[in-house]
Amino acid sequence: MLEHNPSLTKKNTKDRILEAAIELFAQRGYTGVSVRDITKEVGVKESSLYNHFKNKEDVLNTILELFYDEIGKTSFSLETIEEGLNHMDLSGFLQHHAFMLRQKNTPLMIKIRKIIYMEQFRDERALNFILKGIIEAPSEFYKRVFQIAHEKGMIKNNNPEMLGMIYQYTALTIFWELMLREANGEDIAQYTKKIFNLIEFLCER
Amino acid sequence: MLEHNPSLTKKNTKDRILEAAIELFAQRGYTGVSVRDITKEVGVKESSLYNHFKNKEDVLNTILELFYDEIGKTSFSLETIEEGLNHMDLSGFLQHHAFMLRQKNTPLMIKIRKIIYMEQFRDERALNFILKGIIEAPSEFYKRVFQIAHEKGMIKNNNPEMLGMIYQYTALTIFWELMLREANGEDIAQYTKKIFNLIEFLCER
DNA sequence: GTCTATAGCAGGATAGAC
DNA sequence: GTCTATCCTGCTATAGAC
């Protein structure tokens, strides 16, 4: 996807179409946006879009793949856990990982995440991506984190799988709430702190 | 809303329109469904819809109000906590409350919930209902539950606010996952157990 | 690759007969 | 309250000139 321009810095028409589509889909949903809306935003005629994409559906496809390549593929690799926990304590590791995720969730990626949330029951790819990329893979990752921390004697609690699930599921809602409050025009400064408080609490025990 | 027929048992045209709209909106989203689609499903002409609703938006309005009346208004009343915890232990109270919520979440209400989730960034009412009715009010409720349980010496942990937030936020994701897996055609039998395990874990400490 | 022009259909909504 | 008929706008997509 976008080999020479992963940040979509408005060079060519294709990327400008993608950027406009992401913005509009995030505001009004896929079915709420027309090809006219997108091309009008870019400043080209509707027919030009079909030089770059097969059809409207193909635009959404490309956006979802873009998100998967940036976020889904590498964020929850089980191989990194063991070594990470050799260098850091559990809360340090989780803070570090949360910080990395925050770096990856640029404004553009957050817009795509909104699109995925809005299409979750309508589009099979969105549904599967949430189930696998947003729920299952991170759950496996955090379960493994707390398991290894338990094996290394870094936490006392003897139900690390439960702690992993609690961390992932709670963090997901915190991040969801952040997106909602941002969409509602509210201040979102305290949400990093909310995650860090959660980490502290779960690592105490 | 629907004074004589809260379960929408297909008596009059208005209710049949509502039921068809809920079904279709839950599958394809508000903007993905046309007035034609709805009336075709019911078996009346498009113009008939305008005898019962001002326009398409008014159909969505009515659906959202229906949900609010059934779920939002009374599910998280702070007054019930004190007395509940006099009769039951904490895990019993939470189990009882989870069971009550499950009773209220009929298949019809779950469809409306899907609609709300899909419209969350597009429709201001959906956004506000999620923030207030699905995040804030339940959070306040569960924080209060754990606070009172703490005051009564029913739990040892001295951060009941955090426990309340963790319970609510984790349960929200579990319920979200349930909806996704159901939409994906998967079995959802073990989700009651998942909530009960969470309750047991949080009440132990 | 972009444009003009247009096909062909689907969208929300209304008027007026019954 | 439901119907037929119709309005007019917006929609996706394509053909073909430049």
Side-chain angles (χ1 to χ4, degrees):
Chain A
M1 225 41 28
L2 301 171
E3 284 107 321
H4 305 301
N5 201 7
S7 55
L8 292 177
T9 39
K10 297 200 177 188
K11 232 172 148 183
N12 58 53
T13 302
K14 183 168 185 177
D15 289 351
R16 286 163 64 214
I17 289 172
L18 279 177
E19 190 163 11
I22 290 167
E23 179 67 38
L24 291 170
F25 288 165
Q27 282 172 21
R28 311 208 292 266
Y30 174 75
T31 48
V33 175
S34 68
V35 173
R36 279 214 237 291
D37 295 329
I38 299 168
T39 53
K40 193 178 177 185
E41 184 82 12
V42 175
V44 294
K45 295 296 167 189
E46 295 146 68
S47 52
S48 294
L49 183 140
Y50 296 92
N51 285 319
H52 303 284
F53 301 94
K54 216 183 97 204
N55 50 32
K56 188 188 168 191
E57 187 86 15
D58 187 32
V59 178
L60 180 58
N61 262 324
T62 308
I63 291 170
L64 295 182
E65 282 169 25
L66 184 63
F67 185 81
Y68 179 71
D69 288 347
E70 287 277 307
I71 307 274
K73 264 199 305 207
T74 56
S75 299
F76 299 99
S77 161
L78 298 178
E79 286 76 25
T80 63
I81 302 174
E82 184 86 39
E83 206 204 314
L85 285 176
N86 285 334
H87 295 80
M88 290 172 272
D89 65 5
L90 179 57
S91 75
F93 179 81
L94 289 172
Q95 282 178 22
H96 179 267
H97 196 260
F99 184 76
M100 181 273 288
L101 286 180
R102 194 161 149 269
Q103 296 292 97
K104 283 196 179 183
N105 277 285
T106 59
L108 195 80
M109 289 300 139
I110 290 178
K111 282 174 199 162
I112 302 180
R113 192 181 277 259
K114 285 185 185 176
I115 297 169
I116 292 171
Y117 275 42
M118 284 192 281
E119 305 304 321
Q120 61 182 321
F121 298 114
R122 201 195 61 77
D123 184 290
E124 213 178 328
R125 292 156 306 169
L127 175 65
N128 274 302
F129 183 75
I130 292 180
L131 279 173
K132 293 197 168 45
I134 293 186
I135 294 184
E136 286 173 19
S139 283
E140 282 311 304
F141 179 83
Y142 291 117
K143 275 183 194 170
R144 200 81 199 93
V145 169
F146 280 88
Q147 274 171 355
I148 292 176
H150 182 61
E151 286 165 16
K152 289 184 187 293
M154 298 163 91
I155 47 170
K156 282 169 276 177
N157 191 289
N158 57 4
N159 197 344
E161 295 83 4
M162 177 64 82
L163 287 174
M165 186 198 77
I166 283 178
Y167 176 66
Q168 153 68 354
Y169 279 34
T170 305
L172 253 188
T173 304
I174 291 174
F175 193 48
W176 181 35
E177 187 183 359
L178 181 151
M179 289 195 293
L180 291 163
R181 297 213 180 273
E182 194 227 356
N184 203 32
E186 298 178 40
D187 183 49
I188 55 171
Q190 81 278 23
Y191 280 82
T192 308
K193 205 181 143 205
K194 215 167 176 178
I195 291 277
F196 279 24
N197 285 343
L198 175 66
I199 292 173
E200 286 313 306
F201 182 79
L202 292 178
C203 291
E204 268 172 19
R205 43 227 41 254
Chain B
M1 225 40 29
L2 300 170
E3 284 106 322
H4 304 302
N5 202 7
S7 55
L8 292 176
T9 39
K10 297 200 179 190
K11 232 171 151 181
N12 56 52
T13 303
K14 184 168 186 176
D15 289 351
R16 285 164 65 214
I17 289 172
L18 278 177
E19 189 162 12
I22 290 168
E23 178 68 38
L24 291 171
F25 289 165
Q27 281 171 23
R28 309 208 293 267
Y30 174 74
T31 48
V33 176
S34 68
V35 173
R36 282 214 234 291
D37 293 330
I38 298 168
T39 53
K40 192 178 176 185
E41 184 81 13
V42 175
V44 294
K45 295 297 166 188
E46 294 148 66
S47 52
S48 293
L49 184 139
Y50 296 92
N51 285 318
H52 303 284
F53 301 94
K54 214 183 95 203
N55 50 30
K56 189 188 167 189
E57 186 84 15
D58 186 32
V59 178
L60 180 59
N61 262 324
T62 308
I63 291 171
L64 295 182
E65 282 169 26
L66 185 63
F67 186 81
Y68 179 70
D69 288 348
E70 286 279 306
I71 308 275
K73 263 197 307 206
T74 57
S75 299
F76 299 99
S77 161
L78 298 178
E79 286 74 26
T80 63
I81 301 173
E82 184 87 37
E83 205 203 314
L85 285 176
N86 284 333
H87 295 81
M88 289 172 270
D89 64 6
L90 179 57
S91 75
F93 180 81
L94 289 172
Q95 281 177 23
H96 180 266
H97 195 260
F99 184 76
M100 180 272 287
L101 286 180
R102 193 159 150 271
Q103 295 292 100
K104 284 197 179 183
N105 277 285
T106 59
L108 196 80
M109 289 300 139
I110 290 178
K111 281 176 200 160
I112 302 180
R113 192 179 276 260
K114 285 184 185 178
I115 297 169
I116 292 171
Y117 275 41
M118 284 193 281
E119 305 303 322
Q120 60 182 323
F121 299 113
R122 201 194 62 76
D123 185 289
E124 213 177 328
R125 292 157 305 170
L127 174 64
N128 274 303
F129 183 75
I130 293 180
L131 278 173
K132 293 198 167 44
I134 294 186
I135 293 185
E136 285 173 20
S139 283
E140 283 311 304
F141 180 83
Y142 291 117
K143 276 183 194 170
R144 201 80 201 92
V145 168
F146 279 89
Q147 273 171 355
I148 292 176
H150 182 61
E151 286 165 15
K152 290 183 186 292
M154 298 163 91
I155 47 170
K156 281 168 276 174
N157 190 289
N158 57 3
N159 196 343
E161 296 84 3
M162 176 64 82
L163 287 174
M165 186 197 77
I166 283 178
Y167 177 65
Q168 153 69 353
Y169 280 34
T170 305
L172 253 188
T173 305
I174 290 173
F175 192 49
W176 181 34
E177 186 183 359
L178 181 149
M179 289 195 293
L180 291 163
R181 296 213 180 274
E182 195 228 357
N184 202 33
E186 296 178 42
D187 183 49
I188 54 171
Q190 82 277 22
Y191 280 83
T192 308
K193 207 183 142 205
K194 216 167 175 176
I195 291 277
F196 279 23
N197 286 341
L198 174 66
I199 291 173
E200 286 311 308
F201 182 79
L202 292 178
C203 292
E204 267 173 20
R205 42 226 45 251

Short mmCIF file of all heavy atoms in Angstrom, two decimals, chain A residues 74-83 93 137-145 148:
data_model
loop_
_atom_site.label_atom_id
_atom_site.label_comp_id
_atom_site.label_asym_id
_atom_site.label_seq_id
_atom_site.Cartn_x
_atom_site.Cartn_y
_atom_site.Cartn_z
N THR A 74 1.97 -5.97 13.00
CA THR A 74 3.17 -6.11 13.82
C THR A 74 3.02 -5.68 15.28
O THR A 74 3.96 -5.79 16.05
CB THR A 74 4.30 -5.25 13.22
OG1 THR A 74 3.84 -3.90 13.12
CG2 THR A 74 4.68 -5.76 11.84
N SER A 75 1.85 -5.19 15.67
CA SER A 75 1.76 -4.58 16.99
C SER A 75 1.74 -5.57 18.15
O SER A 75 2.03 -5.21 19.27
CB SER A 75 0.49 -3.71 17.07
OG SER A 75 0.54 -2.68 16.12
N PHE A 76 1.37 -6.82 17.86
CA PHE A 76 1.20 -7.77 18.96
C PHE A 76 1.96 -9.07 18.70
O PHE A 76 1.41 -10.16 18.78
CB PHE A 76 -0.29 -8.04 19.19
CG PHE A 76 -1.05 -6.79 19.55
CD1 PHE A 76 -1.78 -6.09 18.59
CD2 PHE A 76 -1.00 -6.29 20.84
CE1 PHE A 76 -2.46 -4.92 18.93
CE2 PHE A 76 -1.68 -5.13 21.18
CZ PHE A 76 -2.40 -4.44 20.23
N SER A 77 3.24 -8.90 18.39
CA SER A 77 4.09 -10.05 18.10
C SER A 77 4.55 -10.71 19.39
O SER A 77 5.18 -10.09 20.24
CB SER A 77 5.29 -9.58 17.27
OG SER A 77 6.30 -10.53 17.35
N LEU A 78 4.22 -11.99 19.54
CA LEU A 78 4.52 -12.71 20.78
C LEU A 78 6.02 -12.85 21.03
O LEU A 78 6.44 -13.00 22.18
CB LEU A 78 3.86 -14.10 20.74
CG LEU A 78 2.33 -14.13 20.63
CD1 LEU A 78 1.82 -15.55 20.55
CD2 LEU A 78 1.68 -13.40 21.82
N GLU A 79 6.81 -12.78 19.96
CA GLU A 79 8.25 -12.99 20.10
C GLU A 79 8.94 -11.91 20.92
O GLU A 79 10.01 -12.15 21.51
CB GLU A 79 8.92 -13.08 18.71
CG GLU A 79 8.66 -14.37 17.96
CD GLU A 79 7.25 -14.43 17.38
OE1 GLU A 79 6.67 -13.35 17.15
OE2 GLU A 79 6.73 -15.55 17.19
N THR A 80 8.35 -10.73 20.94
CA THR A 80 9.03 -9.61 21.61
C THR A 80 8.87 -9.62 23.13
O THR A 80 9.56 -8.88 23.83
CB THR A 80 8.44 -8.26 21.11
OG1 THR A 80 7.07 -8.19 21.48
CG2 THR A 80 8.56 -8.14 19.59
N ILE A 81 7.95 -10.47 23.63
CA ILE A 81 7.60 -10.38 25.05
C ILE A 81 8.75 -10.80 25.96
O ILE A 81 9.18 -10.06 26.84
CB ILE A 81 6.36 -11.25 25.36
CG1 ILE A 81 5.17 -10.80 24.50
CG2 ILE A 81 6.00 -11.15 26.83
CD1 ILE A 81 3.95 -11.69 24.62
N GLU A 82 9.23 -12.01 25.70
CA GLU A 82 10.27 -12.60 26.57
C GLU A 82 11.44 -11.65 26.76
O GLU A 82 11.86 -11.36 27.88
CB GLU A 82 10.75 -13.92 25.94
CG GLU A 82 11.75 -14.70 26.77
CD GLU A 82 11.07 -15.62 27.79
OE1 GLU A 82 10.04 -16.22 27.44
OE2 GLU A 82 11.59 -15.71 28.93
N GLU A 83 11.94 -11.13 25.63
CA GLU A 83 13.11 -10.26 25.72
C GLU A 83 12.75 -8.95 26.42
O GLU A 83 13.52 -8.44 27.24
CB GLU A 83 13.64 -9.96 24.31
CG GLU A 83 15.12 -9.63 24.29
CD GLU A 83 15.48 -8.80 23.07
OE1 GLU A 83 15.03 -9.18 21.97
OE2 GLU A 83 16.15 -7.77 23.23
N PHE A 93 7.17 -2.50 30.90
CA PHE A 93 6.90 -3.13 29.61
C PHE A 93 5.54 -2.71 29.05
O PHE A 93 5.42 -2.34 27.88
CB PHE A 93 6.96 -4.66 29.75
CG PHE A 93 6.69 -5.39 28.47
CD1 PHE A 93 7.68 -5.56 27.51
CD2 PHE A 93 5.42 -5.91 28.21
CE1 PHE A 93 7.42 -6.23 26.32
CE2 PHE A 93 5.15 -6.58 27.03
CZ PHE A 93 6.16 -6.74 26.08
N ALA A 137 -5.92 -11.20 18.82
CA ALA A 137 -4.45 -11.10 18.83
C ALA A 137 -3.94 -10.33 20.05
O ALA A 137 -3.04 -10.82 20.75
CB ALA A 137 -3.96 -10.47 17.53
N PRO A 138 -4.51 -9.15 20.36
CA PRO A 138 -4.06 -8.47 21.57
C PRO A 138 -4.32 -9.27 22.84
O PRO A 138 -3.52 -9.25 23.77
CB PRO A 138 -4.87 -7.17 21.57
CG PRO A 138 -5.23 -6.96 20.15
CD PRO A 138 -5.43 -8.31 19.58
N SER A 139 -5.46 -9.98 22.90
CA SER A 139 -5.75 -10.80 24.08
C SER A 139 -4.68 -11.86 24.28
O SER A 139 -4.18 -12.05 25.39
CB SER A 139 -7.11 -11.48 23.93
OG SER A 139 -8.15 -10.57 24.19
N GLU A 140 -4.33 -12.56 23.20
CA GLU A 140 -3.28 -13.56 23.29
C GLU A 140 -1.97 -12.93 23.76
O GLU A 140 -1.26 -13.47 24.60
CB GLU A 140 -3.06 -14.22 21.92
CG GLU A 140 -4.11 -15.25 21.56
CD GLU A 140 -4.34 -16.24 22.70
OE1 GLU A 140 -3.37 -16.88 23.14
OE2 GLU A 140 -5.50 -16.35 23.15
N PHE A 141 -1.69 -11.76 23.19
CA PHE A 141 -0.45 -11.05 23.53
C PHE A 141 -0.39 -10.74 25.03
O PHE A 141 0.57 -11.09 25.71
CB PHE A 141 -0.36 -9.77 22.71
CG PHE A 141 0.84 -8.93 22.98
CD1 PHE A 141 2.06 -9.23 22.35
CD2 PHE A 141 0.78 -7.85 23.84
CE1 PHE A 141 3.18 -8.44 22.60
CE2 PHE A 141 1.89 -7.07 24.09
CZ PHE A 141 3.10 -7.37 23.47
N TYR A 142 -1.45 -10.11 25.55
CA TYR A 142 -1.41 -9.68 26.96
C TYR A 142 -1.51 -10.86 27.92
O TYR A 142 -0.92 -10.83 28.99
CB TYR A 142 -2.50 -8.63 27.22
CG TYR A 142 -2.21 -7.32 26.54
CD1 TYR A 142 -3.07 -6.83 25.55
CD2 TYR A 142 -1.08 -6.59 26.84
CE1 TYR A 142 -2.80 -5.62 24.91
CE2 TYR A 142 -0.80 -5.40 26.20
CZ TYR A 142 -1.67 -4.92 25.24
OH TYR A 142 -1.39 -3.74 24.60
N LYS A 143 -2.27 -11.88 27.54
CA LYS A 143 -2.26 -13.09 28.36
C LYS A 143 -0.85 -13.63 28.51
O LYS A 143 -0.39 -13.98 29.59
CB LYS A 143 -3.17 -14.16 27.73
CG LYS A 143 -4.63 -14.03 28.09
CD LYS A 143 -5.45 -15.17 27.48
CE LYS A 143 -6.94 -14.85 27.55
NZ LYS A 143 -7.75 -15.81 26.75
N ARG A 144 -0.15 -13.67 27.38
CA ARG A 144 1.23 -14.18 27.37
C ARG A 144 2.14 -13.29 28.21
O ARG A 144 3.01 -13.78 28.93
CB ARG A 144 1.72 -14.23 25.92
CG ARG A 144 2.88 -15.15 25.68
CD ARG A 144 2.49 -16.61 25.53
NE ARG A 144 3.66 -17.48 25.76
CZ ARG A 144 3.97 -18.00 26.95
NH1 ARG A 144 3.20 -17.79 27.99
NH2 ARG A 144 5.04 -18.77 27.09
N VAL A 145 1.93 -11.98 28.12
CA VAL A 145 2.74 -11.04 28.91
C VAL A 145 2.60 -11.35 30.40
O VAL A 145 3.60 -11.49 31.11
CB VAL A 145 2.32 -9.58 28.63
CG1 VAL A 145 2.96 -8.63 29.64
CG2 VAL A 145 2.70 -9.17 27.21
N ILE A 148 4.14 -14.82 31.36
CA ILE A 148 5.60 -14.82 31.48
C ILE A 148 6.04 -14.04 32.72
O ILE A 148 6.93 -14.46 33.46
CB ILE A 148 6.24 -14.24 30.20
CG1 ILE A 148 6.01 -15.21 29.02
CG2 ILE A 148 7.74 -14.01 30.39
CD1 ILE A 148 6.50 -14.71 27.69
#
